[in-house]
Amino acid sequence: MAAPATDRNGKCAFFVEKKKRFCKMVVAKGREFCGEHANNEEGGGGGGGRIVCPLDPKHTVNRNKLEAHLKKCNSRDKAKPAYYAEDINAGSPVPSQHSLQQVTPASLSSWSARASRRLGNPLRRQVTLCERSAEADNPKNGDSARKHLKQQASILGHLEALGLLRRGRCFVEFGAGRGKLSHWIHRALEGHPPERLQMLLVERSSTRFKVDGKHRGGDVEFARLHIDIQHLDLTKVPLLERRLPLVGVGKHLCGAATDLALRCLFRSRPTPGREAGRPPKRLKAEAAHPGGVAGLALALCCHHRCEWRHYVGRRFFSDLGLGPAEFSAFCRMSSWATCGVRAAPRAAGAEEASDGGLPSPSERERIGRRCKLLLDAGRVEFLRAEGFDARLTRYVGAGVTPENVLLTAAPRPPSPET
């Protein structure tokens, strides 16, 4: 459907059926249709007609200009940056065959109890708010915004308690999204002594409404990398040539991304044959990165999306007599902690019913929590083997987010003997 261009104030005359309106693109003088809809015009827009781009079917291109378009199309293969290293943080391939021990509530309880004993105080509750993050209580913010701000304020509070919230650091935000966590870290450090400050944001997806512009041109050296953590070699990132200590941060770093981030921080490129058989010995932070790792604070989530190949706690699982198959079972059941089927409202004093022979909803939630604890315990053990004091903390209440566990770590103080 079309209307004369003169009746459309210079806008395209093509009617977009899906949106029930005319195209809003401005047309060239003397034309009725924009370049995207030029096929509707006699002569195909004066250039042999338009065809679907072979690199991306979501847009079209003038047939006679195809060769030039392919050289600049945003969907073309681009040269890999220097810091791209295929699968550098992926871990060793998964064996094809595994045996599965019987996973029952009793066996899971026993394994989680053993994990708790090794962790000491496995999950404490400590909501530590940064004093410079008062926006969390601003009544002008909506409920969703307040929940995000409370999480960010608590993460900053834990960084501050560990002595990590200071200048003279490079904060690496994994799974940065819009970059709000880095934004509040920067805000919290305003007015501090004029030491160098760096922000490195890592995000594999294209993100709208980023807050990156608030960092540029100020008192911070800033860079955003559009790359999957799995392929990121931090030793090749130009910003890190300043050799500042690294602080890894992340808010709801989903599933395997947490393990990839830990590998990225603590490991350099593996040598051939290094990962055969037993899980590899880990490299020290100073060997992996010029500035070393000063610490980290990663808010965890989506354990059902963890993968054995990437998981950093495989040695911990092996010590418990567990392997890839049990790991897979724990990942699946971990989702019960936050999205299990809830029981219908019950009369007072009534028994909580199970569903189809499965444990009751409350029991499924407890099982899911145990599975999460087991998976996170392996991460804590990994960090302790690197010489760090690591712990798990419920950093906000479940009403703010059910995924409310924060993994923190700072270097272990040297013993008096050394």
Side-chain angles (χ1 to χ4, degrees):
M1 181 176 179
T6 54
D7 296 338
R8 301 212 43 79
N9 297 319
K11 301 292 180 67
C12 178
F14 182 82
F15 187 78
V16 185
E17 186 65 34
K18 184 177 179 180
K19 297 184 178 180
K20 304 299 182 184
R21 62 166 175 77
F22 286 95
C23 173
K24 295 182 179 181
M25 295 294 292
V26 177
V27 301
K29 186 176 181 180
R31 300 285 186 185
E32 291 190 17
F33 298 92
C34 67
E36 193 68 22
H37 300 121
N39 274 339
N40 293 272
E41 200 162 11
E42 185 178 356
R50 296 185 72 82
I51 61 174
V52 174
C53 174
L55 300 178
D56 183 0
K58 294 181 179 179
H59 66 272
T60 62
V61 58
N62 190 292
R63 187 187 302 274
N64 290 351
K65 298 180 180 179
L66 176 61
E67 185 176 352
H69 171 79
L70 294 178
K71 296 179 180 179
K72 61 182 180 181
C73 178
N74 289 333
S75 298
R76 72 190 185 281
D77 289 335
K78 302 178 180 67
K80 302 296 186 187
Y83 47 80
Y84 180 94
E86 186 78 20
D87 289 336
I88 187 173
N89 304 312
S92 59
V94 180
S96 56
Q97 299 294 330
H98 315 296
S99 60
L100 174 63
Q101 298 186 47
Q102 185 179 11
V103 178
T104 65
S107 64
L108 180 59
S109 178
S110 174
W111 287 322
S112 61
R114 291 169 63 187
S116 298
R117 287 194 295 270
R118 289 182 60 162
L119 289 176
N121 184 9
L123 259 178
R124 61 176 187 165
R125 170 76 183 274
Q126 181 180 347
V127 179
T128 304
L129 299 180
C130 177
E131 294 180 0
R132 288 175 292 280
S133 299
E135 283 292 323
D137 296 319
N138 190 332
K140 294 182 179 179
N141 294 311
D143 184 60
S144 177
R146 281 197 297 271
K147 288 182 177 180
H148 285 293
L149 287 166
K150 286 180 179 178
Q151 293 172 67
Q152 291 154 354
S154 185
I155 292 172
L156 265 64
H158 283 83
L159 288 171
E160 190 170 42
L162 291 170
L164 300 174
L165 189 63
R166 47 166 294 184
R167 301 181 76 92
R169 300 281 186 266
C170 176
F171 291 89
V172 184
E173 184 179 359
F174 294 99
R178 295 173 60 191
K180 281 297 193 74
L181 182 56
S182 291
H183 167 71
W184 288 111
I185 291 174
H186 186 192
R187 285 280 301 272
L189 295 176
E190 289 177 343
H192 278 223
E195 294 183 75
R196 190 181 300 278
L197 175 64
Q198 295 176 337
M199 296 286 182
L200 179 66
L201 278 62
V202 182
E203 174 59 58
R204 68 177 181 179
S205 304
S206 298
T207 307
R208 301 178 65 189
F209 309 117
K210 298 186 288 290
V211 295
D212 299 6
K214 297 183 179 181
H215 302 301
R216 295 191 173 98
D219 59 345
V220 59
E221 299 173 29
F222 176 86
R224 176 184 280 266
L225 307 183
H226 188 189
I227 187 174
D228 193 312
I229 306 170
Q230 182 170 330
H231 312 302
L232 174 59
D233 183 355
L234 282 178
T235 65
K236 303 293 179 59
V237 177
L239 182 69
L240 302 189
E241 293 176 357
R242 299 289 188 180
R243 308 172 77 88
L244 294 183
L246 306 180
V247 178
V249 297
K251 178 173 167 287
H252 287 178
L253 198 55
C254 188
T258 294
D259 301 295
L260 294 172
L262 293 175
R263 289 179 180 273
C264 186
L265 281 171
F266 289 99
R267 297 183 60 193
S268 62
R269 187 185 302 274
T271 56
R274 180 168 168 264
E275 294 192 332
R278 189 168 175 81
K281 294 181 179 179
R282 295 145 177 128
L283 300 182
K284 294 299 181 184
E286 291 77 14
H289 300 290
V293 179
L296 58 89
L298 303 175
L300 310 173
C301 80
C302 298
H303 294 71
H304 62 283
R305 298 184 65 180
C306 293
E307 298 181 34
W308 180 254
R309 179 183 181 184
H310 306 321
Y311 184 52
V312 297
R314 289 184 289 185
R315 179 172 294 181
F316 171 76
F317 262 54
S318 177
D319 290 344
L320 290 177
L322 304 173
E326 290 81 15
F327 174 86
S328 179
F330 296 151
C331 289
R332 292 194 301 271
M333 292 189 295
S334 70
S335 63
W336 292 355
T338 54
C339 57
V341 178
R342 297 291 183 252
R346 298 178 285 122
E351 291 291 333
E352 186 177 21
S354 63
D355 184 10
L358 292 174
S360 65
S362 61
E363 179 62 18
R364 288 201 294 274
E365 183 174 341
R366 284 192 290 270
I367 290 173
R369 294 288 178 194
R370 292 191 190 112
C371 290
K372 285 178 176 286
L373 175 62
L374 273 169
L375 297 171
D376 291 336
R379 292 161 170 168
V380 170
E381 288 282 296
F382 168 86
L383 289 166
R384 289 178 176 175
E386 291 288 343
F388 280 67
D389 280 334
R391 62 182 55 187
L392 300 168
T393 305
R394 297 196 187 281
Y395 72 107
V396 290
V400 177
T401 174
E403 295 280 22
N404 61 347
V405 175
L406 185 71
L407 173 64
T408 59
R412 187 181 302 123
S415 60
E417 292 77 10
T418 59

